[in-house]
Amino acid sequence: MGKGYHSKSPEEFRNYLKEIGKENKKSRWRQIVMIIDLVLIILIFYLGFKALNPGSFSDRSQSQKQVVDGYPVYLSLSREEDDAYQGYFLFIENQTKDLIVMPKPNWEMEFRITTRDGNLCHSEIPEFEQRKIPNNAKGFLYHSISKTKLWNLNEVCRKEIFDEDASIFRSKFKSLDLGFYAQMIIQTENRRYVFPIKQKPFKKP
């Protein structure tokens, strides 16, 4: 005979139904506890990974904002796809009541490409066109760099700037170990400001 209830007593039948109800409640609680445990494990892994890889979950397309001579400034990657050039926007916020002209004459500026270890691969002076930024508005200065120029750098730099082994099968976690830094440097009369962006490697040209 199959498993289950076989008594004909109503009292025993009621007790049997109560036991089934208790088992169902226990089973639901076990499932809830397992889900909570799973969520906690995922949270612990996330916090650990974030601690070991600071910036992995932040916006990689722009630098931190800094105040230069009273103006909030940050560097941002151009989102336009270009096989030959990589563009950069230096955004400047004018929170004053007056129109301003940027860059300021006393700003000495430099654009750099470095390895993850800080080794300098390329440096150049950006040639910015002067721009007028109205009061309470945000403007930008634009700079671009030739990918061919970067491809002709030494082997150590080229391996970090370009992913020569790129493929659709590459692990996303492995790709976190790849990359380089683009930096815009502003030297004022009183201080030196560095605006870094960690970039993913370019595809092999």
Side-chain angles (χ1 to χ4, degrees):
M1 295 180 66
K3 295 181 179 180
Y5 178 75
H6 301 290
S7 174
K8 295 181 180 180
S9 167
E11 186 65 29
E12 290 181 0
F13 182 67
R14 282 195 294 270
N15 292 335
Y16 175 70
L17 292 178
K18 287 180 182 179
E19 291 298 324
I20 292 177
K22 290 179 180 178
E23 287 297 325
N24 288 338
K25 287 181 180 178
K26 289 181 180 179
S27 178
R28 283 196 295 270
W29 273 110
R30 288 194 196 101
Q31 291 174 353
I32 292 172
V33 171
M34 288 178 65
I35 292 172
I36 293 174
D37 287 343
L38 182 61
V39 170
L40 289 174
I41 290 171
I42 293 173
L43 179 62
I44 290 170
F45 273 107
Y46 166 77
L47 293 175
F49 182 81
K50 189 175 182 181
L52 293 173
N53 299 273
S56 296
F57 297 93
S58 60
D59 186 356
R60 289 189 171 193
S61 65
Q62 67 182 48
S63 70
Q64 292 293 321
K65 187 181 296 185
Q66 301 181 63
V67 178
V68 182
D69 285 351
Y71 305 102
V73 179
Y74 64 93
L75 184 67
S76 178
L77 284 174
S78 171
R79 300 181 185 276
E80 295 183 5
E81 293 289 337
D82 192 317
D83 294 333
Y85 291 88
Q86 172 65 65
Y88 300 87
F89 294 97
L90 187 69
F91 285 101
I92 303 169
E93 298 177 8
N94 179 11
Q95 299 176 350
T96 71
K97 296 181 180 180
D98 303 314
L99 180 145
I100 60 174
V101 179
M102 287 293 175
K104 283 191 169 186
N106 63 330
W107 285 7
E108 295 180 7
M109 309 183 74
E110 180 185 5
F111 178 80
R112 290 182 172 186
I113 297 291
T114 70
T115 65
R116 289 165 295 169
D117 296 329
N119 297 320
L120 182 62
C121 292
H122 175 75
S123 173
E124 62 185 39
I125 304 301
E127 297 180 0
F128 289 127
E129 294 183 4
Q130 284 196 330
R131 290 182 177 269
K132 296 180 180 179
I133 305 176
N135 62 304
N136 296 314
K138 180 166 65 175
F140 65 86
L141 305 174
Y142 180 77
H143 179 70
S144 67
I145 186 167
S146 165
K147 292 181 181 179
T148 301
K149 184 184 292 185
L150 297 178
W151 178 254
N152 291 325
L153 296 174
N154 63 67
E155 184 179 358
V156 174
C157 290
R158 188 172 65 247
K159 282 186 176 180
E160 290 203 16
I161 297 172
F162 293 91
D163 186 0
E164 300 179 52
D165 301 318
S167 73
I168 60 175
F169 302 106
R170 179 183 293 279
S171 165
K172 289 184 179 180
F173 288 99
K174 184 178 180 181
S175 67
L176 291 173
D177 294 331
L178 304 174
F180 63 97
Y181 283 91
Q183 298 177 346
M184 186 67 72
I185 299 173
I186 301 177
Q187 177 69 54
T188 68
E189 292 180 356
N190 303 315
R191 185 177 165 186
R192 182 174 182 265
Y193 299 85
V194 181
F195 298 87
I197 298 178
K198 184 179 180 182
Q199 288 187 240
K200 294 180 180 179
F202 300 125
K203 293 181 180 179
K204 182 180 178 181

Coordinates of all heavy atoms in Angstrom, one line a residue, residues 16-82:
Y16 N -3.7 13.9 12.2 CA -2.8 13.7 11.0 C -2.7 15.0 10.2 O -1.6 15.4 9.7 CB -3.3 12.6 10.2 CG -2.6 12.3 8.9 CD1 -1.3 11.8 8.9 CD2 -3.2 12.6 7.7 CE1 -0.7 11.6 7.7 CE2 -2.5 12.4 6.5 CZ -1.3 11.9 6.5 OH -0.6 11.7 5.3
L17 N -3.8 15.7 10.0 CA -3.8 16.9 9.2 C -3.0 18.0 10.0 O -2.3 18.8 9.3 CB -5.3 17.4 9.0 CG -6.1 16.5 8.1 CD1 -7.5 17.1 8.0 CD2 -5.5 16.5 6.7
K18 N -3.1 18.0 11.3 CA -2.3 19.0 12.1 C -0.8 18.8 11.9 O -0.1 19.7 11.8 CB -2.7 18.9 13.6 CG -4.1 19.5 13.9 CD -4.4 19.4 15.4 CE -5.7 19.9 15.7 NZ -6.0 19.7 17.2
E19 N -0.4 17.5 11.9 CA 1.0 17.2 11.7 C 1.5 17.6 10.4 O 2.6 18.1 10.2 CB 1.2 15.7 12.0 CG 1.0 15.2 13.4 CD 2.0 15.9 14.3 OE1 3.2 16.1 13.9 OE2 1.6 16.2 15.5
I20 N 0.6 17.4 9.4 CA 1.0 17.8 8.0 C 1.2 19.3 8.0 O 2.1 19.9 7.4 CB -0.1 17.4 7.0 CG1 0.0 15.9 6.8 CG2 0.2 18.0 5.6 CD1 -1.1 15.3 5.9
G21 N 0.3 20.1 8.6 CA 0.4 21.5 8.7 C 1.7 22.0 9.3 O 2.3 22.9 8.9
K22 N 2.0 21.3 10.4 CA 3.3 21.7 11.1 C 4.5 21.4 10.3 O 5.4 22.2 10.2 CB 3.4 20.9 12.4 CG 2.4 21.3 13.5 CD 2.5 20.4 14.7 CE 1.5 20.8 15.8 NZ 1.6 20.0 17.0
E23 N 4.5 20.3 9.5 CA 5.6 20.0 8.7 C 5.7 21.0 7.5 O 6.8 21.4 7.2 CB 5.4 18.6 8.1 CG 5.7 17.5 9.1 CD 7.1 17.5 9.6 OE1 8.0 17.8 8.8 OE2 7.3 17.2 10.8
N24 N 4.6 21.5 7.0 CA 4.6 22.5 5.9 C 5.2 23.8 6.4 O 5.9 24.5 5.7 CB 3.2 22.7 5.4 CG 2.7 21.5 4.5 OD1 3.6 20.7 4.0 ND2 1.4 21.3 4.4
K25 N 4.8 24.2 7.7 CA 5.3 25.4 8.2 C 6.8 25.3 8.4 O 7.5 26.3 8.2 CB 4.6 25.7 9.6 CG 3.1 26.2 9.4 CD 2.5 26.5 10.7 CE 1.1 26.9 10.6 NZ 0.4 27.2 11.9
K26 N 7.3 24.2 9.0 CA 8.7 24.0 9.2 C 9.4 24.1 7.9 O 10.5 24.7 7.8 CB 8.9 22.7 9.9 CG 8.5 22.6 11.3 CD 8.8 21.2 11.9 CE 8.4 21.2 13.4 NZ 8.7 19.8 14.0
S27 N 8.9 23.5 6.8 CA 9.5 23.5 5.5 C 9.6 24.9 5.0 O 10.6 25.2 4.4 CB 8.7 22.6 4.5 OG 9.3 22.6 3.3
R28 N 8.5 25.7 5.1 CA 8.6 27.1 4.7 C 9.6 27.9 5.4 O 10.4 28.7 4.8 CB 7.2 27.7 4.8 CG 6.2 27.3 3.7 CD 5.0 28.2 3.7 NE 4.2 28.2 4.9 CZ 3.2 27.3 5.2 NH1 2.9 26.5 4.2 NH2 2.6 27.4 6.3
W29 N 9.7 27.7 6.7 CA 10.7 28.4 7.5 C 12.2 28.0 7.1 O 13.0 28.9 7.0 CB 10.5 28.1 9.0 CG 9.5 29.1 9.6 CD1 8.3 28.8 10.1 CD2 9.7 30.5 9.8 NE1 7.7 29.9 10.6 CE2 8.6 31.0 10.4 CE3 10.8 31.4 9.6 CZ2 8.4 32.3 10.8 CZ3 10.6 32.7 9.9 CH2 9.4 33.2 10.5
R30 N 12.3 26.7 6.8 CA 13.7 26.3 6.3 C 14.0 27.0 5.0 O 15.2 27.4 4.8 CB 13.7 24.8 6.1 CG 13.6 24.0 7.4 CD 14.0 22.5 7.1 NE 13.6 21.7 8.3 CZ 12.5 20.9 8.3 NH1 11.7 20.9 7.2 NH2 12.3 20.1 9.3
Q31 N 13.1 27.1 4.1 CA 13.3 27.8 2.8 C 13.6 29.3 3.0 O 14.6 29.8 2.4 CB 12.1 27.6 1.9 CG 11.8 26.2 1.4 CD 10.5 26.1 0.7 OE1 9.8 27.0 0.6 NE2 10.3 24.9 0.1
I32 N 12.9 29.9 4.0 CA 13.2 31.3 4.2 C 14.6 31.5 4.8 O 15.3 32.4 4.4 CB 12.1 31.9 5.2 CG1 10.7 32.0 4.5 CG2 12.5 33.3 5.7 CD1 9.6 32.3 5.4
V33 N 14.9 30.7 5.8 CA 16.3 30.7 6.4 C 17.4 30.5 5.4 O 18.4 31.2 5.3 CB 16.4 29.7 7.5 CG1 17.8 29.6 8.0 CG2 15.5 30.1 8.7
M34 N 17.1 29.6 4.4 CA 18.1 29.3 3.4 C 18.3 30.5 2.5 O 19.4 30.8 2.1 CB 17.7 28.1 2.6 CG 17.9 26.7 3.3 SD 17.3 25.3 2.4 CE 18.5 25.4 1.0
I35 N 17.2 31.2 2.1 CA 17.2 32.3 1.3 C 18.0 33.5 2.0 O 18.8 34.1 1.4 CB 15.8 32.8 0.9 CG1 15.2 31.8 0.0 CG2 15.9 34.2 0.2 CD1 13.7 32.0 -0.3
I36 N 17.7 33.7 3.3 CA 18.4 34.7 4.0 C 19.9 34.4 4.1 O 20.7 35.3 3.9 CB 17.8 34.8 5.5 CG1 16.4 35.4 5.4 CG2 18.7 35.7 6.3 CD1 15.7 35.4 6.7
D37 N 20.3 33.2 4.3 CA 21.7 32.8 4.4 C 22.4 33.0 3.0 O 23.5 33.5 3.0 CB 21.8 31.3 4.7 CG 21.5 31.0 6.2 OD1 21.5 32.0 7.0 OD2 21.2 29.8 6.6
L38 N 21.6 32.7 1.9 CA 22.2 32.9 0.6 C 22.4 34.4 0.3 O 23.5 34.8 -0.2 CB 21.3 32.3 -0.5 CG 21.7 32.4 -1.9 CD1 23.0 31.7 -2.1 CD2 20.7 31.9 -2.9
V39 N 21.5 35.3 0.7 CA 21.6 36.7 0.5 C 22.8 37.2 1.3 O 23.6 38.1 0.9 CB 20.3 37.4 0.9 CG1 20.5 38.9 1.0 CG2 19.2 37.1 0.0
L40 N 22.9 36.8 2.6 CA 24.1 37.2 3.4 C 25.4 36.8 2.8 O 26.4 37.6 2.9 CB 23.9 36.6 4.8 CG 22.8 37.2 5.7 CD1 22.7 36.5 7.0 CD2 23.0 38.7 5.9
I41 N 25.5 35.6 2.3 CA 26.7 35.1 1.7 C 27.1 36.0 0.5 O 28.2 36.4 0.3 CB 26.6 33.6 1.3 CG1 26.5 32.7 2.5 CG2 27.8 33.2 0.4 CD1 26.2 31.3 2.2
I42 N 26.1 36.3 -0.4 CA 26.3 37.1 -1.5 C 26.8 38.5 -1.1 O 27.7 39.1 -1.7 CB 25.0 37.2 -2.4 CG1 24.7 35.9 -3.0 CG2 25.2 38.3 -3.5 CD1 23.4 35.8 -3.8
L43 N 26.1 39.1 0.0 CA 26.5 40.4 0.5 C 27.9 40.4 1.0 O 28.7 41.3 0.7 CB 25.5 40.8 1.6 CG 25.8 42.2 2.2 CD1 25.7 43.3 1.2 CD2 24.8 42.4 3.4
I44 N 28.3 39.3 1.7 CA 29.7 39.2 2.2 C 30.7 39.2 1.1 O 31.7 39.8 1.1 CB 29.8 38.0 3.1 CG1 29.0 38.2 4.4 CG2 31.3 37.7 3.5 CD1 28.9 37.0 5.3
F45 N 30.4 38.4 0.0 CA 31.3 38.3 -1.1 C 31.4 39.6 -1.8 O 32.5 40.0 -2.3 CB 30.8 37.2 -2.1 CG 31.3 35.8 -1.8 CD1 30.5 34.9 -1.3 CD2 32.7 35.5 -2.0 CE1 31.0 33.6 -1.0 CE2 33.2 34.2 -1.7 CZ 32.3 33.3 -1.2
Y46 N 30.3 40.3 -2.0 CA 30.2 41.6 -2.6 C 31.1 42.6 -1.9 O 31.9 43.3 -2.5 CB 28.8 42.1 -2.7 CG 28.7 43.6 -3.1 CD1 28.9 44.0 -4.4 CD2 28.4 44.6 -2.1 CE1 28.8 45.4 -4.7 CE2 28.3 45.9 -2.4 CZ 28.5 46.3 -3.7 OH 28.4 47.6 -4.1
L47 N 30.9 42.7 -0.5 CA 31.7 43.7 0.3 C 33.2 43.3 0.2 O 34.0 44.2 0.1 CB 31.2 43.7 1.7 CG 29.8 44.2 1.9 CD1 29.4 44.0 3.4 CD2 29.7 45.6 1.5
G48 N 33.5 42.0 0.3 CA 34.9 41.6 0.2 C 35.5 42.0 -1.2 O 36.6 42.5 -1.2
F49 N 34.8 41.7 -2.2 CA 35.3 42.0 -3.6 C 35.5 43.5 -3.8 O 36.5 44.0 -4.4 CB 34.3 41.5 -4.6 CG 34.8 41.7 -6.0 CD1 35.7 40.8 -6.6 CD2 34.3 42.7 -6.8 CE1 36.1 41.0 -7.9 CE2 34.7 42.9 -8.1 CZ 35.6 42.1 -8.7
K50 N 34.5 44.3 -3.3 CA 34.6 45.7 -3.4 C 35.8 46.3 -2.6 O 36.4 47.2 -3.1 CB 33.3 46.4 -2.9 CG 33.2 47.9 -3.2 CD 31.8 48.4 -2.8 CE 31.7 49.9 -3.1 NZ 30.4 50.4 -2.7
A51 N 36.1 45.7 -1.5 CA 37.2 46.2 -0.7 C 38.5 45.8 -1.4 O 39.5 46.6 -1.3 CB 37.2 45.5 0.7
L52 N 38.6 44.7 -2.0 CA 39.8 44.3 -2.7 C 40.0 45.0 -4.1 O 41.1 45.1 -4.6 CB 39.8 42.8 -2.9 CG 40.0 41.9 -1.7 CD1 39.8 40.5 -2.0 CD2 41.3 42.2 -1.0
N53 N 38.9 45.5 -4.6 CA 38.9 46.2 -5.9 C 38.2 47.5 -5.9 O 37.1 47.7 -6.4 CB 38.2 45.3 -7.0 CG 38.9 43.9 -7.2 OD1 39.8 43.8 -7.9 ND2 38.4 42.9 -6.4
P54 N 38.8 48.4 -5.1 CA 38.1 49.7 -5.0 C 37.9 50.4 -6.4 O 38.8 50.4 -7.2 CB 39.1 50.5 -4.1 CG 40.4 49.9 -4.3 CD 40.1 48.4 -4.5
G55 N 36.7 51.0 -6.6 CA 36.4 51.6 -7.9 C 35.9 50.7 -8.9 O 35.5 51.2 -10.0
S56 N 35.8 49.4 -8.7 CA 35.3 48.5 -9.7 C 33.8 48.7 -10.0 O 33.3 48.4 -11.1 CB 35.5 47.0 -9.2 OG 36.8 46.7 -9.1
F57 N 33.0 49.2 -9.0 CA 31.6 49.4 -9.2 C 31.2 50.9 -9.3 O 30.1 51.2 -9.3 CB 30.8 48.7 -8.0 CG 31.0 47.3 -7.9 CD1 32.0 46.7 -7.1 CD2 30.2 46.4 -8.7 CE1 32.2 45.3 -7.1 CE2 30.4 45.0 -8.6 CZ 31.4 44.5 -7.8
S58 N 32.2 51.7 -9.3 CA 32.0 53.1 -9.5 C 32.0 53.5 -11.0 O 32.2 52.6 -11.8 CB 33.0 54.0 -8.8 OG 34.3 53.7 -9.3
D59 N 31.6 54.7 -11.2 CA 31.6 55.2 -12.6 C 33.0 55.3 -13.2 O 33.7 56.2 -12.8 CB 30.8 56.5 -12.7 CG 30.6 56.9 -14.2 OD1 31.2 56.3 -15.1 OD2 30.0 58.0 -14.4
R60 N 33.4 54.4 -14.1 CA 34.8 54.4 -14.6 C 35.0 55.4 -15.7 O 36.1 55.6 -16.2 CB 35.1 53.0 -15.1 CG 35.3 52.0 -14.1 CD 35.8 50.7 -14.7 NE 36.2 49.8 -13.6 CZ 37.0 48.7 -13.9 NH1 37.4 48.5 -15.1 NH2 37.2 47.8 -12.9
S61 N 33.9 56.1 -16.1 CA 34.0 57.0 -17.2 C 34.4 58.4 -16.8 O 34.7 59.3 -17.7 CB 32.7 57.1 -18.0 OG 31.7 57.7 -17.2
Q62 N 34.6 58.7 -15.5 CA 35.0 60.0 -15.1 C 35.8 60.0 -13.8 O 35.7 59.0 -13.1 CB 33.8 60.9 -15.0 CG 32.8 60.6 -13.8 CD 31.6 61.5 -13.8 OE1 31.0 61.7 -14.8 NE2 31.3 62.0 -12.6
S63 N 36.5 61.1 -13.6 CA 37.3 61.2 -12.4 C 36.5 61.8 -11.3 O 35.4 62.2 -11.5 CB 38.5 62.1 -12.7 OG 38.1 63.4 -12.9
Q64 N 37.1 61.8 -10.1 CA 36.5 62.5 -9.0 C 36.5 64.0 -9.2 O 37.4 64.6 -9.9 CB 37.3 62.2 -7.7 CG 37.2 60.8 -7.2 CD 35.8 60.4 -6.8 OE1 35.1 61.2 -6.2 NE2 35.4 59.2 -7.1
K65 N 35.5 64.7 -8.7 CA 35.4 66.2 -8.9 C 36.3 66.8 -7.9 O 36.3 66.5 -6.7 CB 33.9 66.6 -8.7 CG 33.7 68.1 -9.1 CD 32.2 68.4 -8.8 CE 31.3 67.7 -9.8 NZ 29.9 68.1 -9.6
Q66 N 37.0 67.9 -8.3 CA 37.8 68.7 -7.4 C 37.6 70.2 -7.7 O 37.2 70.5 -8.8 CB 39.3 68.4 -7.6 CG 39.7 66.9 -7.4 CD 41.2 66.7 -7.6 OE1 42.0 67.3 -6.8 NE2 41.6 65.9 -8.5
V67 N 37.8 71.0 -6.7 CA 37.6 72.4 -6.9 C 38.9 73.1 -7.1 O 39.8 73.1 -6.3 CB 36.9 73.0 -5.6 CG1 36.8 74.5 -5.8 CG2 35.6 72.4 -5.3
V68 N 39.0 73.7 -8.3 CA 40.3 74.3 -8.8 C 40.0 75.8 -8.9 O 39.2 76.3 -9.7 CB 40.7 73.8 -10.2 CG1 42.0 74.5 -10.6 CG2 40.9 72.3 -10.1
D69 N 40.7 76.6 -8.1 CA 40.5 78.1 -8.0 C 39.1 78.5 -7.9 O 38.6 79.4 -8.5 CB 41.1 78.7 -9.3 CG 42.6 78.7 -9.3 OD1 43.2 78.4 -8.2 OD2 43.2 79.1 -10.3
G70 N 38.3 77.7 -7.1 CA 36.9 78.0 -6.9 C 35.9 77.4 -7.8 O 34.7 77.6 -7.7
Y71 N 36.4 76.6 -8.8 CA 35.5 76.0 -9.8 C 35.5 74.5 -9.8 O 36.6 73.9 -9.9 CB 35.9 76.5 -11.2 CG 36.0 78.0 -11.4 CD1 37.2 78.6 -11.4 CD2 34.8 78.7 -11.6 CE1 37.3 80.0 -11.5 CE2 34.9 80.1 -11.7 CZ 36.1 80.7 -11.7 OH 36.2 82.1 -11.8
P72 N 34.4 73.8 -9.6 CA 34.4 72.4 -9.6 C 34.8 71.9 -11.0 O 34.2 72.3 -12.0 CB 32.9 72.0 -9.3 CG 32.4 73.2 -8.6 CD 33.1 74.4 -9.2
V73 N 35.7 70.9 -11.0 CA 36.3 70.4 -12.3 C 36.4 68.9 -12.2 O 36.7 68.3 -11.1 CB 37.7 71.0 -12.5 CG1 38.3 70.4 -13.8 CG2 37.6 72.5 -12.5
Y74 N 36.1 68.2 -13.3 CA 36.4 66.8 -13.4 C 36.6 66.4 -14.8 O 36.2 67.1 -15.8 CB 35.2 66.0 -12.8 CG 33.9 66.1 -13.5 CD1 33.5 65.2 -14.5 CD2 33.0 67.1 -13.2 CE1 32.3 65.3 -15.2 CE2 31.8 67.2 -13.8 CZ 31.4 66.3 -14.8 OH 30.2 66.5 -15.4
L75 N 37.3 65.2 -15.0 CA 37.7 64.7 -16.3 C 36.7 63.6 -16.7 O 36.4 62.8 -15.8 CB 39.1 64.2 -16.3 CG 39.6 63.7 -17.7 CD1 39.8 64.8 -18.7 CD2 41.0 63.0 -17.4
S76 N 36.3 63.5 -17.9 CA 35.3 62.5 -18.4 C 35.7 62.0 -19.7 O 36.2 62.7 -20.6 CB 33.9 63.1 -18.4 OG 33.0 62.1 -18.9
L77 N 35.5 60.7 -19.9 CA 35.8 60.0 -21.2 C 34.7 60.4 -22.2 O 33.5 60.5 -21.8 CB 35.8 58.5 -21.1 CG 37.0 57.8 -20.5 CD1 36.7 56.3 -20.3 CD2 38.2 58.0 -21.3
S78 N 35.1 60.6 -23.4 CA 34.1 60.7 -24.5 C 33.4 59.4 -24.7 O 34.1 58.3 -24.8 CB 34.7 61.2 -25.8 OG 33.8 61.1 -26.9
R79 N 32.1 59.3 -24.8 CA 31.3 58.1 -25.0 C 31.2 57.7 -26.5 O 30.6 56.7 -26.9 CB 29.9 58.2 -24.4 CG 30.0 58.4 -22.9 CD 28.7 58.5 -22.2 NE 28.7 58.8 -20.8 CZ 28.9 58.0 -19.9 NH1 29.1 56.7 -20.2 NH2 29.0 58.3 -18.6
E80 N 31.7 58.6 -27.4 CA 31.6 58.3 -28.8 C 32.6 57.3 -29.2 O 33.8 57.4 -28.9 CB 31.7 59.6 -29.6 CG 30.6 60.6 -29.4 CD 30.8 61.9 -30.2 OE1 31.8 61.9 -31.1 OE2 30.0 62.8 -30.1
E81 N 32.2 56.3 -30.0 CA 33.1 55.3 -30.4 C 34.0 55.8 -31.6 O 33.5 56.4 -32.5 CB 32.4 54.0 -30.9 CG 31.6 53.3 -29.8 CD 32.6 52.6 -28.9 OE1 33.7 52.3 -29.3 OE2 32.2 52.3 -27.7
D82 N 35.3 55.6 -31.5 CA 36.2 56.1 -32.5 C 37.4 55.1 -32.6 O 38.1 55.0 -31.5 CB 36.7 57.5 -32.3 CG 37.4 58.1 -33.5 OD1 38.2 57.4 -34.1 OD2 37.1 59.3 -33.8

